[in-house]
Amino acid sequence: MLDVKNLMIFYENALAVNNLNLDVKKGEIVGVFGSNSAGKTTLMNTVAGLTLHMKFREHRKGGQRITIVGQQNFEGEDISNRSPNDRVKKGIVLCRERHPVFRDLSVEENLQLGGFLIKEQVKVQESIDLVYNIFPPLTKLKSRRAGLCSGGEQEMIAIGMALVARPKLLLLDEPLLGLSPVMQAIVVQALKDIRSLEVTVLLTEQYARPIMPHIDRGFIIENGTLIMSGTKEELMDNPEVMSAYFGM
Ligand SMILES: Nc1ncnc2c1ncn2[C@@H]1O[C@H](COP(=O)(O)OP(=O)(O)OP(=O)(O)O)[C@@H](O)[C@H]1O
Ligand SMILES: [Mg+2]
């Protein structure tokens, strides 16, 4: 479904992603693991088209130069030069790290915004109801201002917004970041529900442990470079990987 080929991203002269090859097949949940500054967000933003967008914006301002090399293919089509909006329309939807929500809007209004590219309101409402099914705690918070919600609740809203956009490929950048074990369990359960909706998932995390049982394959990156990839079983059988990323 997604094929990232020989991807290199430079911010000025600094290399953030180094010749990365990564693929995601339809129906899979694929994890990308790496510590701070490994390049996880850069990868996700690039697949979502935001790095390209930033490159144009910086270029217009005459500022920082961003260089993107390599190819991103989605469902057999080269999308490397497509805008973020185009990619959302094709079904690639990113939930950015640290649960960004519109703080002054209600939970329900945030979810409605997730469907801003969808013309039929009925479909948007259907998706919002689905989100309440996936994240039952949100049902009671419909009219609460999102800014007053806890970090875990905001993560549910952020993932919910992405789901309302009806993704084929959902990109989740560190969905468990800063969440309590209880909240982590809710998000992990949601992943199972999301999989049953035939949504393919590419996610990143610093620590693989809580998410590992729920992925199909994983990629480990360090300083932008792929150091290992494999099925869940292959990664879990590797003692070095286990101690570095799984705390075992
Ligand atoms: N807009 C930017 N301008 C310049 N350098 C950047 C920019 N965004 C990221 N970088 C650099 O690129 C490298 C990769 O950063 P990135 O945010 O992708 O890492 P990450 O794996 O998401 O880290 P974290 O776990 O902290 O979120 C870092 O060295 C970072 O400083
Ligand atoms: Mg990041």
Side-chain angles (χ1 to χ4, degrees), residues 20-39:
L20 185 71
N21 286 286
L22 173 150
D23 68 303
V24 182
K25 298 186 185 71
K26 193 167 186 287
E28 278 187 321
I29 299 180
V30 172
V32 175
F33 305 106
S35 47
N36 283 128
S37 303

Side-chain angles (χ1 to χ4, degrees), residues 96-107 110 113 145-151 153-159 161:
R96 285 161 49 223
E97 72 187 337
R98 286 166 231 275
H99 41 259
V101 295
F102 295 93
R103 304 182 65 82
D104 293 332
L105 299 182
S106 71
V107 169
N110 267 276
L113 274 178
R145 259 180 39 215
L148 299 178
C149 291
S150 72
E153 290 159 354
Q154 290 185 23
E155 184 62 35
M156 292 185 227
I157 300 168
I159 297 175
M161 286 170 76

Side-chain angles (χ1 to χ4, degrees), residues 35-42 97-98 173-174 177 204 206:
S35 47
N36 283 128
S37 303
K40 303 181 296 297
T41 297
T42 301
E97 72 187 337
R98 286 166 231 275
D173 194 4
E174 296 204 53
L177 186 69
T204 72
Q206 258 186 67

Side-chain angles (χ1 to χ4, degrees), residues 8 19 61 67 71 92 100 106 128 162 185-186 203 215-218:
M8 291 179 94
N19 201 22
K61 286 196 291 193
T67 310
Q71 220 181 44
I92 303 175
S106 71
I128 291 176
I186 293 177
L203 60 86
I215 66 165
D216 299 301
R217 285 188 301 130

Side-chain angles (χ1 to χ4, degrees), residues 68-102:
I68 307 172
V69 181
Q71 220 181 44
Q72 305 131 52
N73 291 339
F74 182 66
E75 296 188 316
E77 183 192 342
D78 183 357
I79 54 159
S80 312
N81 294 314
R82 297 287 192 152
S83 69
N85 259 14
D86 269 4
R87 296 189 202 206
V88 174
K89 285 183 196 151
K90 286 185 183 301
I92 303 175
V93 181
L94 168 66
C95 178
R96 285 161 49 223
E97 72 187 337
R98 286 166 231 275
H99 41 259
V101 295
F102 295 93

Side-chain angles (χ1 to χ4, degrees), residues 2-248:
L2 176 73
D3 247 310
V4 172
K5 289 186 187 163
N6 306 111
L7 184 70
M8 291 179 94
I9 309 281
F10 294 86
Y11 296 110
E12 297 280 2
N13 295 325
L15 186 60
V17 173
N18 183 11
N19 201 22
L20 185 71
N21 286 286
L22 173 150
D23 68 303
V24 182
K25 298 186 185 71
K26 193 167 186 287
E28 278 187 321
I29 299 180
V30 172
V32 175
F33 305 106
S35 47
N36 283 128
S37 303
K40 303 181 296 297
T41 297
T42 301
L43 169 69
M44 297 301 242
N45 286 350
T46 303
V47 174
L50 297 179
T51 309
L52 184 69
H53 179 76
M54 196 164 38
K55 174 186 151 114
F56 290 145
R57 211 181 48 197
E58 296 289 338
H59 184 71
R60 276 201 299 275
K61 286 196 291 193
Q64 174 176 241
R65 288 217 316 275
I66 297 173
T67 310
I68 307 172
V69 181
Q71 220 181 44
Q72 305 131 52
N73 291 339
F74 182 66
E75 296 188 316
E77 183 192 342
D78 183 357
I79 54 159
S80 312
N81 294 314
R82 297 287 192 152
S83 69
N85 259 14
D86 269 4
R87 296 189 202 206
V88 174
K89 285 183 196 151
K90 286 185 183 301
I92 303 175
V93 181
L94 168 66
C95 178
R96 285 161 49 223
E97 72 187 337
R98 286 166 231 275
H99 41 259
V101 295
F102 295 93
R103 304 182 65 82
D104 293 332
L105 299 182
S106 71
V107 169
E108 176 98 2
E109 286 165 341
N110 267 276
L111 294 176
Q112 281 163 354
L113 274 178
F116 79 104
L117 284 174
I118 297 172
K119 292 196 180 68
E120 298 116 287
Q121 267 311 302
V122 187
K123 275 196 176 170
V124 175
Q125 197 52 52
E126 265 174 29
S127 305
I128 291 176
D129 292 341
L130 190 75
V131 170
Y132 290 135
N133 279 332
I134 294 176
F135 294 117
L138 289 187
T139 318
K140 283 185 282 179
L141 303 172
K142 281 181 190 182
S143 52
R144 180 170 301 178
R145 259 180 39 215
L148 299 178
C149 291
S150 72
E153 290 159 354
Q154 290 185 23
E155 184 62 35
M156 292 185 227
I157 300 168
I159 297 175
M161 286 170 76
L163 287 173
V164 174
R166 301 242 169 169
K168 289 184 192 166
L169 175 64
L170 176 63
L171 307 171
L172 299 175
D173 194 4
E174 296 204 53
L176 302 184
L177 186 69
L179 302 192
S180 68
V182 172
M183 284 294 179
Q184 288 188 354
I186 293 177
V187 172
V188 164
Q189 175 59 43
L191 265 185
K192 294 184 203 165
D193 297 340
I194 290 168
R195 187 207 280 270
S196 71
L197 297 171
E198 297 188 358
V199 175
T200 305
V201 178
L202 177 63
L203 60 86
T204 72
E205 279 302 336
Q206 258 186 67
Y207 302 106
R209 192 173 186 169
I211 210 93
M212 200 60 190
H214 311 285
I215 66 165
D216 299 301
R217 285 188 301 130
F219 291 79
I220 295 177
I221 54 176
E222 262 177 29
N223 299 320
T225 304
L226 181 69
I227 57 163
M228 193 182 167
S229 67
T231 62
K232 161 172 68 183
E233 292 76 17
E234 283 165 348
L235 295 180
M236 290 179 86
D237 280 347
N238 184 311
E240 273 176 45
V241 169
M242 289 306 280
S243 67
Y245 297 96
F246 297 76
M248 289 176 185

